[in-house]
Amino acid sequence: MADIPDAGQITFAQDPHSKSNPALKWFREARFGMFVHWGVYAIPAGYWNGKPTPHMGEWIMHDLKIPAEEYKQLAASFDPNDFDATELVDLAVRAGQRYLVLTAKHHDGFCLWPTELTSFSSTADAPLGRDIVGEISQACRERGIKFGLYYSQTQDWTHPDAAGNDWDFDPETKDFEGYLQEYVKPQLTELLTGYGEISLIWFDTPQGITAQQSRDLVEHVHKLQPYCLVNGRVGNGLGDYGQTRDNEMPDEPSGDWETPVTGNGTWGFTDNTEWKSAHEIAVTIAKAVSRGGNVLLNVGPDSHGAVPSAQVAELEAIGGWLQRCGASIYETRRGPFRALEWGWSTASSDHVYLLVENWPVQGDLVLPAGVSVESARLLTDAGATSLGVHDSSGGAVLGLTGIEPDAVLSVIELTGAREVAPL
Ligand code: JFZ
């Protein structure tokens, strides 16, 4: 009888993103990370002179066409007095997030480290002079959390030679190549030489960048830190792994990939309170990992650096679920079963896992035809509850009558799952 292929045997189809970077090992094992969108856009928090921004909080300068010199005044009000990097990273640990990506510089050009290239930063123009990149990188290192940096390499709405600001600057006079060589690469050098190991550079919105320019950025990063991963939004099909559209994932992806996910309806802090529940996030994680991908879930701290308490509660509930069921997520690969009506599957070298969203009303969970199982357990806080397994003509059936489903997402661990040769 052919065993269900060990997930380790499921090779990642070669695609332009899955190069041979050895660092992909930690990325594949980590599966779940924290995205942190924080900057001066958290101060207006979606409103400018009483007018709401139509887009997400971090796009307010662009969408309300705020003049750069007016917007840059926000730096003087950047007051992270509630910000504690150890609290933020401890929250990631409690949530079960094993890597963290911080917006070092988003499209508005505000920098969260003492860069020589501009005074529009959390150290120069901001009164408290905090090196946020330094504080978070240190807290991550102390807790064994991989540290990555988001860097907007094409858009910079406060720089005349970058893309994105056509209300202050004349697009016809931009020297984009000069911006990349004289501003972007020197800033990347500051970030990749000043803060120890950087595990990931998360580039974004590569529209308008040439293949040579994307290649030049990848080479620049890997020259400074060869094992630093580069995401797919460096542009032109390059990067160490594929990046999906925001809050989306493909049905049948190949290779290594990651979906960025908002915790509510915006990346940067606003008054949006549409917090995604722990169940919704667990389903997203289950779907992604069952297809061989990662989830980068966002927090948007407020203007003083605090993560909204309603989101903290959901993150801690996710962390509790991963305490119980993390064996089905961390260090697992695509599961052997596709298009399950009731959920998704992942696999480790020893087990196949079923992540069950639609708990059967009748009490039996019918596995795909032709699959036999030696034993099955529901993963719980107390460890696990053994489940009855019986074979029907079509294959294994799990008896769930009287078994309570998990409050977040039920996970069943199968031992000895194998395909039964057709009679
Ligand atoms: C970009 C940023 O503009 C946004 O502010 C946030 O940082 C997000 C993570 O990344 O937004 C995007 C980028 C790409 C797509 C959509 C939104 N896309 O490919 O559909």
Side-chain angles (χ1 to χ4, degrees):
M1 285 183 286
D3 279 352
I4 294 284
D6 171 345
Q9 299 163 7
I10 299 176
T11 54
F12 289 86
Q14 188 59 33
D15 75 78
H17 301 299
S18 59
K19 296 290 182 293
S20 57
N21 191 327
L24 281 168
K25 181 176 185 300
W26 76 256
F27 182 78
R28 291 168 178 160
E29 292 174 353
R31 287 297 178 222
F32 183 39
M34 177 184 272
F35 212 171
V36 182
H37 275 71
W38 195 31
V40 292
Y41 41 74
I43 298 168
Y47 293 84
W48 194 262
N49 298 333
K51 184 178 178 186
T53 185
H55 195 63
M56 295 188 171
E58 71 284 0
W59 271 71
I60 189 167
M61 178 185 170
H62 178 278
D63 293 340
L64 298 185
K65 299 294 180 275
I66 301 168
E69 289 315 307
E70 184 179 345
Y71 183 86
K72 288 168 75 172
Q73 297 311 307
L74 286 170
S77 310
F78 186 65
D79 175 8
N81 63 333
D82 287 349
F83 178 70
D84 180 328
T86 59
E87 278 182 21
L88 179 68
V89 180
D90 283 345
L91 175 59
V93 171
R94 293 201 307 278
Q97 293 165 304
R98 295 196 169 179
Y99 63 111
L100 184 150
V101 179
L102 167 71
T103 53
K105 184 196 76 143
H106 204 265
H107 305 330
D108 63 357
F110 184 65
C111 300
L112 290 180
W113 81 97
T115 175
E116 294 295 318
L117 283 296
T118 179
S119 65
F120 187 42
S121 76
S122 60
T123 52
D125 288 355
L128 294 184
R130 298 275 293 271
D131 177 358
I132 303 300
V133 169
E135 293 178 36
I136 295 180
S137 65
Q138 177 64 24
C140 283
R141 201 172 359 265
E142 289 167 355
R143 286 156 183 75
I145 297 289
K146 291 289 188 183
F147 179 60
L149 291 167
Y150 168 111
Y151 185 90
S152 178
Q153 81 280 16
T154 307
Q155 295 195 73
D156 184 330
W157 304 325
T158 55
H159 195 295
D161 291 325
N165 179 338
D166 57 6
W167 60 96
D168 286 322
F169 310 119
D170 178 357
E172 296 306 312
T173 62
K174 290 185 188 296
D175 173 12
F176 183 64
E177 177 63 14
Y179 167 68
L180 287 178
Q181 298 304 329
E182 307 307 323
Y183 195 91
V184 170
K185 289 169 71 175
Q187 285 203 323
L188 289 171
T189 299
E190 290 177 331
L191 293 168
L192 288 159
T193 59
Y195 296 99
E197 178 190 331
I198 303 295
S199 299
L200 168 57
I201 296 289
W202 212 95
F203 289 113
D204 198 10
T205 62
Q207 287 78 350
I209 196 168
T210 67
Q212 177 50 45
Q213 289 169 335
S214 295
R215 245 190 317 275
D216 188 16
L217 291 179
V218 172
E219 289 166 5
H220 187 71
V221 172
H222 287 157
K223 179 182 67 181
L224 295 168
Q225 293 211 25
Y227 300 117
C228 178
L229 293 176
V230 171
N231 74 328
R233 287 189 191 168
V234 66
N236 295 289
L238 299 176
D240 292 303
Y241 68 84
Q243 199 75 59
T244 71
R245 298 165 64 91
D246 291 7
N247 292 301
E248 293 186 12
M249 68 179 84
D251 290 333
E252 287 291 341
S254 61
D256 300 289
W257 58 276
E258 176 194 67
T259 179
V261 173
T262 48
N264 55 353
T266 173
W267 299 98
F269 177 77
T270 68
D271 59 4
N272 180 295
T273 56
E274 300 155 12
W275 302 111
K276 292 170 183 171
S277 69
H279 170 72
E280 287 174 273
I281 299 297
V283 164
T284 300
I285 294 170
K287 276 183 182 175
V289 178
S290 75
R291 300 172 190 176
N294 284 24
V295 172
L296 188 62
L297 174 64
N298 186 65
V299 297
D302 66 20
S303 61
H304 296 297
V307 176
S309 56
Q311 186 179 21
V312 169
E314 298 304 339
L315 287 168
E316 290 176 337
I318 274 286
W321 176 69
L322 287 165
Q323 289 279 341
R324 295 190 290 280
C325 303
S328 69
I329 299 298
Y330 301 124
E331 302 183 39
T332 63
R333 292 291 183 271
R334 288 168 172 78
F337 305 133
R338 292 282 186 282
L340 296 169
E341 288 171 3
W342 34 261
W344 305 273
S345 73
T346 65
S348 68
S349 49
D350 304 323
H351 299 285
V352 170
Y353 295 94
L354 308 178
L355 298 102
V356 184
E357 182 179 29
N358 305 321
W359 195 253
V361 175
Q362 298 305 322
D364 279 352
L365 190 72
V366 180
L367 296 192
V371 173
S372 77
V373 171
E374 285 171 17
S375 62
R377 308 190 305 164
L378 177 71
L379 300 184
T380 65
D381 274 330
T385 302
S386 291
L387 303 174
V389 178
H390 58 272
D391 282 329
S392 73
S393 55
V397 176
L398 307 184
L400 303 183
T401 302
I403 304 286
E404 277 303 304
D406 187 277
V408 174
L409 184 66
S410 300
V411 176
I412 294 171
E413 174 196 79
L414 302 181
T415 299
R418 57 177 50 80
E419 288 173 302
V420 177
L423 295 177

XYZ file of all heavy atoms in Angstrom, residues 35 37 58-59 106-107 150 155 202 204-205 233 244-246 260 267, ligand 1:
192
model
N 3.294 41.420 11.312
C 3.585 42.582 10.488
C 3.307 43.789 11.383
O 2.285 43.798 12.094
C 2.644 42.600 9.280
C 3.199 43.178 8.017
C 2.485 43.054 6.821
C 4.425 43.848 7.953
C 2.968 43.575 5.614
C 4.917 44.376 6.769
C 4.186 44.221 5.597
N 2.825 47.828 11.124
C 2.741 49.081 10.379
C 2.645 50.220 11.382
O 1.607 50.391 12.054
C 1.515 49.090 9.458
C 1.732 48.441 8.132
N 1.877 47.080 7.969
C 1.848 48.990 6.888
C 2.048 46.814 6.682
N 2.047 47.936 6.008
N -2.426 54.346 6.469
C -1.043 54.709 6.120
C -0.964 55.431 4.777
O 0.086 55.899 4.361
C -0.169 53.458 6.131
C -0.400 52.472 5.005
C -1.660 51.614 5.143
O -2.398 51.758 6.137
O -1.892 50.799 4.237
N -2.103 55.498 4.046
C -2.133 56.179 2.738
C -2.724 57.587 2.835
O -2.967 58.228 1.804
C -2.948 55.330 1.757
C -2.111 54.316 1.027
C -1.553 53.200 1.569
C -1.719 54.346 -0.340
N -0.842 52.513 0.613
C -0.924 53.186 -0.569
C -1.955 55.212 -1.401
C -0.368 52.896 -1.815
C -1.420 54.918 -2.650
C -0.628 53.771 -2.845
N 7.813 53.472 5.239
C 6.658 53.190 4.387
C 6.630 54.229 3.274
O 7.583 55.005 3.104
C 5.356 53.176 5.217
C 4.277 52.384 4.585
N 3.317 52.951 3.796
C 4.029 51.066 4.575
C 2.492 52.034 3.344
N 2.895 50.864 3.805
N 5.549 54.271 2.512
C 5.508 55.146 1.335
C 5.635 56.625 1.690
O 6.017 57.432 0.843
C 4.184 54.959 0.585
C 3.869 53.562 0.191
N 4.811 52.604 -0.103
C 2.651 52.943 0.054
C 4.201 51.473 -0.413
N 2.904 51.639 -0.334
N 10.262 45.988 6.544
C 9.534 46.450 5.367
C 10.229 47.726 4.886
O 10.552 48.603 5.698
C 8.081 46.752 5.754
C 7.259 47.507 4.719
C 6.215 46.888 4.054
C 7.528 48.838 4.404
C 5.450 47.573 3.101
C 6.781 49.529 3.452
C 5.755 48.899 2.809
O 5.015 49.568 1.861
N 7.973 53.879 -3.915
C 7.204 55.055 -3.500
C 7.861 55.724 -2.295
O 8.251 55.055 -1.349
C 5.779 54.656 -3.118
C 4.947 54.107 -4.273
C 3.481 54.075 -3.914
O 2.832 55.143 -3.857
N 2.955 52.901 -3.676
N 11.377 43.264 3.243
C 10.040 43.163 2.665
C 9.802 44.407 1.801
O 9.403 45.456 2.278
C 9.017 43.093 3.796
C 7.784 42.298 3.579
C 7.571 40.996 3.953
C 6.562 42.728 2.958
N 6.288 40.600 3.627
C 5.656 41.642 3.001
C 6.154 43.919 2.361
C 4.358 41.715 2.489
C 4.866 44.017 1.855
C 3.983 42.920 1.908
N 8.029 46.613 -1.422
C 6.605 46.769 -1.672
C 6.329 47.649 -2.898
O 7.165 48.471 -3.273
C 5.944 47.401 -0.435
C 4.447 47.198 -0.411
O 3.930 46.408 -1.240
O 3.769 47.847 0.406
N 5.205 47.478 -3.486
C 4.698 48.233 -4.658
C 5.825 48.523 -5.657
O 6.241 49.678 -5.807
C 3.995 49.543 -4.237
O 4.929 50.407 -3.567
C 2.819 49.265 -3.331
N 7.913 41.216 -3.694
C 7.546 42.572 -4.123
C 8.774 43.450 -4.381
O 8.638 44.656 -4.577
C 6.597 43.229 -3.126
C 5.191 42.645 -3.188
C 4.181 43.429 -2.374
N 2.909 42.704 -2.249
C 1.943 43.048 -1.406
N 2.092 44.122 -0.631
N 0.834 42.342 -1.325
N 1.754 37.208 -2.213
C 0.399 37.297 -2.783
C -0.107 38.742 -2.665
O 0.521 39.594 -2.038
C -0.575 36.402 -1.988
O -0.778 37.011 -0.694
C -0.031 34.998 -1.824
N -1.259 38.972 -3.270
C -1.929 40.258 -3.055
C -2.380 40.307 -1.596
O -2.514 39.277 -0.950
C -3.130 40.392 -4.000
C -2.735 40.380 -5.481
C -3.940 40.143 -6.371
N -4.908 41.235 -6.269
C -4.893 42.310 -7.070
N -3.948 42.414 -7.988
N -5.774 43.259 -6.951
N -2.585 41.526 -1.083
C -2.968 41.669 0.333
C -4.230 40.868 0.636
O -5.195 40.912 -0.128
C -3.248 43.140 0.650
C -1.981 43.956 0.612
O -0.936 43.400 0.208
O -2.034 45.131 0.973
N 0.156 38.647 3.147
C 0.054 39.659 4.203
C -1.415 39.881 4.547
O -2.247 40.017 3.634
C 0.673 40.897 3.556
C 0.462 40.737 2.099
C 0.369 39.265 1.812
N -3.976 48.838 7.475
C -2.640 48.466 7.980
C -2.201 49.445 9.052
O -1.788 49.073 10.148
C -1.639 48.436 6.830
C -1.967 47.455 5.757
C -2.589 47.725 4.571
C -1.729 46.037 5.766
N -2.736 46.557 3.833
C -2.222 45.526 4.545
C -1.138 45.159 6.684
C -2.139 44.162 4.215
C -1.070 43.807 6.362
C -1.556 43.321 5.139
C 0.894 47.760 -0.007
C 0.948 49.121 0.700
O 0.567 50.110 -0.221
C 0.034 49.105 1.892
O 0.051 50.351 2.525
C 0.503 48.014 2.870
O 1.808 48.326 3.335
C 0.483 46.658 2.118
C 1.052 45.557 2.985
O 1.256 46.723 0.920
O -0.417 47.574 -0.499
C -0.649 46.710 -1.521
C 0.358 46.161 -2.260
C 0.049 45.247 -3.277
C -1.272 44.954 -3.547
C -2.291 45.541 -2.809
C -1.979 46.441 -1.797
N -1.612 44.054 -4.595
O -0.697 43.461 -5.226
O -2.831 43.854 -4.816
